[in-house]
């Protein structure tokens, strides 16, 4: 068994305290008994003076007094120094030294007496005096055993030393043996008596030590027993009063004791289960049948994990408990009993169920929101397609100045409305967590130059300066999501253009130095303008949804207040940060910091647009191609007809998915523009039906007002080849035709003529 280090420390501390107490007791008793020793010293000094004269008697007396004074001076200081915390070992050594010096002084005084008196010196008297010293030494055995043994040894040896000294000094001149024999016998008798007394004192000392040790051990045992009893009482109180049910059972799985909380938790009284197998408890509470098997397996394996149990109260109320069984083993590693603790987790279970229902409700709400947005996108984009398309066609006709102004106003308003719709859809994607960050290698300077090129017309129309400054330390190529970088830059620069009426807009791009090799590269973009600025109290909420600096801003400049929110969310998704500093009436400065990487080795650079422009197909001829348009909206059919009627193609129209399938099966076209939302049969269902047939398979391109990524994936999964989002421009339709069914076998006179018309 491994000893408890704490117990060893406590025992060591107790022993040190005991030693300090004995030393203090020895010093105190010696100091208090000084008057008794002074009386003995006076009587001895008088006898020595009468026997030897004042000189030798005074010297002997002085030696005794010096030894006593030195011992007394040391001992008087010991109790105080012990209370002050001085080392007990050092003080014990000082007491030993002073006591030994006092014993040696007595030895020297008696030796001086014998030397001075000569042959007439009374060894018996000396032995008597030293006998009292021996008795005194025996008395201090309990408090200072080492010093007592030293003193007794000196005092026992002194008479024999003096007899030997006398024999050496006087030899044959000593008194006759007859005269010395009685004296020698007296000395021997006194020595024996002292020896017996000392031995008895030592035996008593040892018995006292043993008794004290036993008493200390008994006290320690009593303390441990009391502590253990107190712990048991506290544990018993805890077990009785705890809110958890506590069940004690023997190795035979018979219940021996349950606490008060047991009845509250199970609805079963203690008398109904105590003394019975634990299986009775499961039957009484109608617990799950698997619980008993789980506990039996745990007992067999010797491993006990927490298990959750559903049971019923006596009145039928359902409850949930968390049960853990703990085996209590004895010294032989056998099991004495089992402690089973059952905790009521019904509130936690109910909370978890509520959270699960709330999460499901939130997910249902999110799906409802997504469906609503998809439907709204379709319902808004469908008429918007007609408005923008017809306005485009109208702008190509001959018009008066007023008519041209009206047409461009319609186009501008329609495109602003389209921007708002796109912002709302982007935000809904971000909220739903469906917008993914896709990193690729791109050309850094070209990314920002192309963004500014798109916004230059609007800035120049307002007479604003728009400049781009790219620092020399910016790498030519970076690895990040360039689409999101462009989107952030477009929104911020577009905002600056919108809210700046005069002055300029400066765009700065630079890299932030790395702190160390493991820190990421940081690409910084700052957009500074001389616009209307932002009030200080509005800076904290400028990135919130549907927020603009002032309510009048919306009326004056338009917009939804979603652009900066989208920038903030995109920046955070990319692991970056966005901030703004502004002064009302003086302009604003937006700073975007994005973590980027250098391109991996061998990664392709995406410099070209994903869809090649129409100009790349100058030599392509579309003559003779058959195109089927499945569209239920009359305006959209008219618009597409106007867009494509000048091309040398055969154009057919159907109103729904059923007609699209019948037409494709009877006369397979080269390409089908398939609307997604049609009555009777949707575009996806029609596509699946065509793909399942054995006719020559046409190219199928989805036309949809739903701009969600999920819609695009659904189209491609159904077998469609491409995806066009409404509102659709003429260039998008022609470009799609050229990419999918255009051929290069003849020159391109007809196509280019049609596009120029």
């Amino acid at each position: 068994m491994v000893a408890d280090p704490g117990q060893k420390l406590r025992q060591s501390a107790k022993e040190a305290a005991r030693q300090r107490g004995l030393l203090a007791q020895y010093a105190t008793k010696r100091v208090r008994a000084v008057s008794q020793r002074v009386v003995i010293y006076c009587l001895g000094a008088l006898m020595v003076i009468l026997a030897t004269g004042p000189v030798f008697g005074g010297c002997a007396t002085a030696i005794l007094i010096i030894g006593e004074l030195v011992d007394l001076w040391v001992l008087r200081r010991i109790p105080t120094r012990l209370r002050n915390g001085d080392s007990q070992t050092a003080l014990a050594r000082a007491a030993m030294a002073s006591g030994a010096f006092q014993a040696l002084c007595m030895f020297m005084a008696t030796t001086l007496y014998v030397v001075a008196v000569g042959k007439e010196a009374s060894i018996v008297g000396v032995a008597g005096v030293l006998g009292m010293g021996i008795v005194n030494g025996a008395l201090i055995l309990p408090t200072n055993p080492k010093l007592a043994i030293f003193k007794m040894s000196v005092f026992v040896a002194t008479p024999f030393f003096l007899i030997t000294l006398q024999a050496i000094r006087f030899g044959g001149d000593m008194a006759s043996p007859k005269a010395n024999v009685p004296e020698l016998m007296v000395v021997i008798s006194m020595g024996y008596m002292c020896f017996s007394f000392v031995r008895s004192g030592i035996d008593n000392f040892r018995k006292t030590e043993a008794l004290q040790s036993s008493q200390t051990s008994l006290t320690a045992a009593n303390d441990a027993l009391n502590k253990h009893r107190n712990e048991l009482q506290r544990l018993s109180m805890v077990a009785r009063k705890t809110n958890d049910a506590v069940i004690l059972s023997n190795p035979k799985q018979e219940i021996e004791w349950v606490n008060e909380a047991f009845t509250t938790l199970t609805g079963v009284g203690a008398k109904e289960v105590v003394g019975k197998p634990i299986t009775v408890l499961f039957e009484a509470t109608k617990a799950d049948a698997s619980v008993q098997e789980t506990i039996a397996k745990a007992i067999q394996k010797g491993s006990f994990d927490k298990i959750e149990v559903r049971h019923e109260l006596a009145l039928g109320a359902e409850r949930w408990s968390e049960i853990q069984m703990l085996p209590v083993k004895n010294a032989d590693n056998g099991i004495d009993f089992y402690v089973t603790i059952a905790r009521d987790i019904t509130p936690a279970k109910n909370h978890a169920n509520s959270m699960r229902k709330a999460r499901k409700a939130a997910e249902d709400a999110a799906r409802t929101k997504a469906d609503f947005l998809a439907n709204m996108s379709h319902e808004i984009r469908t008429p918007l397609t007609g408005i923008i398309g017809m306005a485009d066609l109208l702008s190509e006709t001959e018009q008066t100045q007023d008519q041209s102004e009206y047409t461009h106003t319609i186009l501008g308003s329609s495109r602003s409305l389209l921007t708002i719709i796109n912002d709302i859809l982007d935000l809904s994607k971000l909220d739903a967590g469906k917008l993914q960050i896709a990193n690729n290698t791109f050309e850094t300077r070209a990314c920002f130059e192309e963004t500014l090129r798109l916004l230059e017309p609007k800035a120049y129309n307002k007479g604003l300066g728009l400049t781009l400054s790219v620092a020399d330390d910016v790498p030519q190529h970076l690895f990040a999501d360039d689409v999101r970088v462009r989107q952030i830059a477009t929104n911020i620069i577009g905002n600056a253009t919108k809210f700046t009426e005069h002055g300029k807009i400066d765009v700065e791009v630079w890299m932030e130095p790395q702190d160390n090799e493991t820190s990421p590269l940081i690409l910084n973009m700052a957009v500074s303008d001389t616009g209307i600025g932002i009030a200080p109290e509005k800076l904290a909420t400028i990135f919130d949804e549907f927020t603009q600096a002032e309510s009048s801003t919306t009326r004056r400049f338009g917009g939804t207040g979603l652009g900066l929110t989208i920038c903030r969310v995109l920046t955070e998704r990319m692991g970056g940060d966005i901030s703004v500093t502004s002064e009302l009436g003086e302009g604003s400065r937006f700073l975007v910091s994005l973590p980027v990487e250098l391109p991996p080795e061998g990664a392709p650079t995406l410099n070209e647009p994903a869809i090649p422009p129409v100009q790349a197909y100058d030599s392509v001829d579309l003559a003779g191609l058959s195109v089927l348009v499945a569209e239920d909206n009359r305006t959209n059919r008219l618009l597409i007809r106007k867009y494509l009627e000048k091309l040398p193609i055969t154009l057919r129209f159907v109103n729904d998915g059923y007609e699209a399938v019948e037409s494709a099966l009877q006369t397979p076209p080269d390409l089908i523009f398939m609307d997604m939302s049609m009555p009777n049969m949707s575009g996806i269902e029609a596509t699946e039906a065509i793909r399942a047939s054995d006719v020559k398979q046409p190219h199928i391109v989805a036309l949809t007002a739903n701009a969600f990524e999920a819609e695009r994936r659904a189209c491609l999964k159904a077998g469609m080849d491409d995806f066009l989002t409404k509102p659709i421009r003429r260039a998008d339709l022609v470009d799609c035709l050229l990419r999918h069914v255009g051929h290069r076998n003849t020159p391109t006179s007809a196509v280019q003529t049609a596009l120029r018309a």
Side-chain angles (χ1 to χ4, degrees):
M1 185 179 294
V2 180
D4 182 10
Q7 184 178 1
K8 286 187 176 181
L9 290 174
R10 290 192 293 271
Q11 291 177 350
S12 177
K14 287 183 179 180
E15 178 62 22
R18 190 179 76 86
Q19 293 295 334
R20 293 172 73 88
L22 290 176
L23 180 58
Q25 184 180 356
Y26 161 72
T28 302
K29 287 185 176 181
R30 285 286 295 174
V31 172
R32 289 177 180 176
V34 67
S35 58
Q36 300 172 4
R37 294 195 299 277
V38 168
V39 173
I40 296 174
Y41 292 155
C42 291
L43 293 176
L46 179 61
M47 292 176 61
V48 173
I49 292 173
L50 292 175
T52 62
V55 177
F56 285 102
C59 289
T61 302
I63 292 173
L64 287 174
I65 292 175
I66 290 172
E68 188 66 33
L69 289 176
V70 170
D71 190 33
L72 186 64
W73 180 80
V74 172
L75 295 180
R76 288 188 64 181
R77 302 179 56 177
I78 286 178
T80 303
R81 295 182 65 180
L82 284 173
R83 286 193 295 272
N84 292 338
D86 287 6
S87 171
Q88 183 268 339
T89 302
L91 295 177
R93 290 174 181 172
M96 181 72 181
S98 64
F101 179 72
Q102 188 268 339
L104 292 175
C105 286
M106 184 174 287
F107 165 76
M108 289 188 291
T110 55
T111 302
L112 180 60
Y113 158 74
V114 172
V115 171
V117 174
K119 290 190 295 182
E120 301 299 328
S122 175
I123 303 300
V124 176
V126 172
V129 173
L130 294 175
M132 288 188 290
I134 293 172
V135 172
N136 182 266
L139 293 176
I140 66 172
L141 266 173
T143 55
N144 199 338
K146 292 182 180 179
L147 180 58
I149 293 172
F150 177 80
K151 282 188 172 184
M152 289 188 293
S153 300
V154 171
F155 296 156
V156 168
T158 299
F160 295 99
F161 169 76
L162 294 178
I163 291 174
T164 303
L165 179 63
Q166 288 290 73
I168 294 173
R169 288 180 63 197
F170 300 108
D173 295 335
M174 289 180 63
S176 62
K178 292 181 180 180
N180 290 330
V181 168
E183 185 175 322
L184 183 60
M185 291 299 295
V186 171
V187 172
I188 293 173
S189 298
M190 290 182 65
Y192 177 75
M193 291 173 62
C194 290
F195 171 75
S196 299
F197 181 81
V198 170
R199 187 176 65 177
S200 177
I202 292 174
D203 290 340
N204 289 335
F205 168 71
R206 289 175 178 172
K207 291 178 181 178
T208 302
E209 284 284 300
L211 182 61
Q212 289 179 346
S213 177
S214 299
Q215 185 175 3
T216 302
S217 300
L218 182 61
T219 302
N222 286 334
D223 291 343
L225 182 60
N226 290 332
K227 182 179 179 181
H228 184 60
R229 183 179 60 193
N230 292 335
E231 289 180 354
L232 288 178
Q233 288 177 345
R234 287 194 292 268
L235 290 174
S236 175
M237 184 62 66
V238 170
R240 289 178 184 276
K241 300 300 182 182
T242 183
N243 293 329
D244 296 340
V246 180
I247 306 168
L248 302 184
S249 56
N250 59 29
K252 296 180 180 179
Q253 291 299 297
E254 295 172 343
I255 299 175
E256 296 183 345
W257 180 85
V258 295
N259 68 344
E260 298 173 3
F262 169 82
T263 302
T264 304
L265 181 62
T266 62
V268 180
K271 294 181 180 179
E272 300 178 37
V273 295
V274 173
K276 298 180 180 179
I278 200 169
T279 54
V280 174
L281 175 60
F282 301 127
E283 295 172 0
T285 59
K286 299 180 181 179
D288 294 339
S290 60
V291 176
Q292 188 173 346
E293 298 178 5
T294 303
I295 293 178
K297 292 179 180 178
I299 294 174
Q300 184 177 3
K301 293 180 180 179
S303 60
F304 301 87
D305 297 325
K306 293 181 180 179
I307 58 174
E308 293 184 355
V309 180
R310 187 194 63 81
H311 59 90
E312 295 181 4
L313 295 179
L315 298 179
E318 182 182 270
R319 306 294 291 177
W320 280 88
S321 299
E322 182 182 72
I323 295 179
Q324 184 174 21
M325 179 176 285
L326 305 172
V328 179
K329 298 184 178 181
N330 52 31
D332 299 329
N333 205 33
I335 295 178
D336 272 348
F337 59 94
Y338 291 97
V339 178
T340 303
I341 300 174
R343 173 168 297 176
D344 187 3
I345 59 171
T346 305
K349 276 285 186 179
N350 292 338
H351 179 69
N353 290 334
S354 299
M355 293 298 294
R356 187 162 47 251
K357 292 178 181 178
R359 184 168 58 250
K360 185 177 184 302
E363 292 172 352
D364 291 342
R367 282 192 294 269
T368 302
K369 175 183 175 182
D371 293 342
F372 171 77
L373 288 174
N375 184 58
M376 289 301 297
S377 172
H378 178 270
E379 294 301 324
I380 295 174
R381 284 173 182 272
T382 297
L384 197 58
T385 298
I387 295 172
I388 295 176
M390 291 302 175
D392 273 334
L393 293 175
L394 186 61
S395 67
E396 297 173 0
T397 63
E398 293 185 5
Q399 297 177 328
T400 66
Q401 182 175 353
D402 288 343
Q403 291 172 336
S404 178
E405 183 178 349
Y406 299 156
T407 303
H408 284 91
T409 300
I410 295 172
L411 282 172
S413 299
S414 302
R415 287 165 182 164
S416 296
L417 180 59
L418 182 60
T419 300
I420 293 173
I421 295 172
N422 289 335
D423 283 348
I424 294 174
L425 292 177
D426 277 345
L427 185 63
S428 67
K429 294 177 188 177
L430 291 170
D431 288 343
K434 295 181 178 180
L435 193 146
Q436 302 295 325
I437 302 299
N439 294 335
N440 51 64
T441 301
F442 66 95
E443 188 173 344
T444 313
R445 180 179 291 273
C447 174
F448 292 99
E449 288 178 346
E450 292 170 6
T451 301
L452 261 69
R453 192 175 300 119
L454 292 174
L455 299 170
E456 279 177 350
K458 185 176 181 180
Y460 292 161
N461 288 339
K462 297 180 70 174
L464 303 176
L466 182 58
T467 62
L468 172 65
S469 174
V470 180
D472 295 337
D473 63 345
V474 176
Q476 181 180 0
H477 295 96
L478 288 175
F479 187 73
D481 191 335
D482 64 315
V483 174
R484 303 308 168 192
V485 173
R486 293 170 191 264
Q487 187 174 0
I488 294 170
T490 300
N491 277 341
I492 295 178
I493 301 172
N495 261 12
T497 305
K498 180 192 297 184
F499 298 117
T500 302
E501 296 179 320
H502 56 80
K504 62 177 181 175
I505 301 168
D506 296 324
V507 181
E508 302 172 76
V509 180
W510 74 95
M511 300 298 296
E512 184 175 311
Q514 287 180 280
D515 295 334
N516 51 63
E517 293 183 357
T518 59
S519 63
L521 292 169
I522 302 296
L523 176 67
N524 295 295
M525 179 192 69
V527 179
S528 305
D529 63 60
T530 57
I532 62 175
I534 305 169
E537 64 272 13
K538 298 294 183 179
L539 286 175
T541 60
I542 196 65
F543 294 106
D544 293 346
E545 295 179 9
F546 308 107
T547 300
Q548 290 189 341
E550 300 291 344
S551 58
S552 60
T553 302
T554 303
R555 296 191 298 271
R556 182 177 175 188
F557 296 99
T560 61
L562 294 177
L564 291 180
T565 302
I566 294 171
C567 290
R568 173 183 60 80
V569 178
L570 285 175
T571 301
E572 291 174 353
R573 292 284 177 87
M574 297 176 71
D577 184 58
I578 183 171
S579 60
V580 59
T581 56
S582 182
E583 185 175 348
L584 192 62
E586 299 295 331
S588 305
R589 184 176 189 269
F590 286 84
L591 173 62
V592 177
S593 300
L594 298 173
V596 295
E597 301 177 12
L598 293 176
E601 293 185 6
T605 302
L606 303 180
N607 291 326
E608 296 297 330
I611 300 175
V614 175
Q615 290 85 333
Y617 295 91
D618 287 344
S619 61
V620 176
D621 188 8
L622 294 176
L625 294 178
S626 174
V627 176
L628 175 66
V629 179
E631 170 65 66
D632 64 316
N633 185 273
R634 185 180 64 83
T635 302
N636 288 341
R637 291 200 301 272
L638 175 61
L639 180 64
I640 295 174
R641 182 186 302 277
K642 291 295 182 181
Y643 277 161
L644 302 180
E645 64 183 1
K646 295 181 180 181
L647 295 178
I649 61 176
T650 301
L651 194 61
R652 292 181 288 154
F653 290 88
V654 293
N655 297 324
D656 59 33
Y658 280 122
E659 293 181 7
V661 174
E662 291 178 358
S663 179
L665 295 180
Q666 293 175 2
T667 309
D670 296 299
L671 183 142
I672 302 176
F673 286 115
M674 183 79 73
D675 184 35
M676 294 293 292
S677 300
M678 294 183 293
N680 299 325
M681 178 182 284
S682 68
I684 287 181
E685 293 172 335
T687 299
E688 291 174 344
I690 294 171
R691 293 302 187 212
S693 66
D694 55 359
V695 300
K696 178 183 177 182
Q697 292 295 318
H699 292 268
I700 302 178
V701 178
L703 300 180
T704 178
N706 188 340
F708 283 97
E709 177 66 18
E711 183 83 354
R712 187 187 70 84
R713 288 198 301 267
C715 294
L716 298 179
K717 183 178 179 181
M720 295 185 178
D721 300 291
D722 209 342
F723 181 90
L724 292 181
T725 304
K726 299 176 183 179
I728 302 170
R729 298 181 306 164
R730 173 190 291 171
D732 295 333
L733 292 173
V734 175
D735 186 44
C736 187
L737 286 170
L738 293 171
R739 281 188 291 109
H740 289 291
V741 294
H743 46 82
R744 299 174 178 269
N745 51 359
T746 59
T748 179
S749 57
V751 174
Q752 292 304 316
T753 300
L755 290 176
R756 287 193 295 269

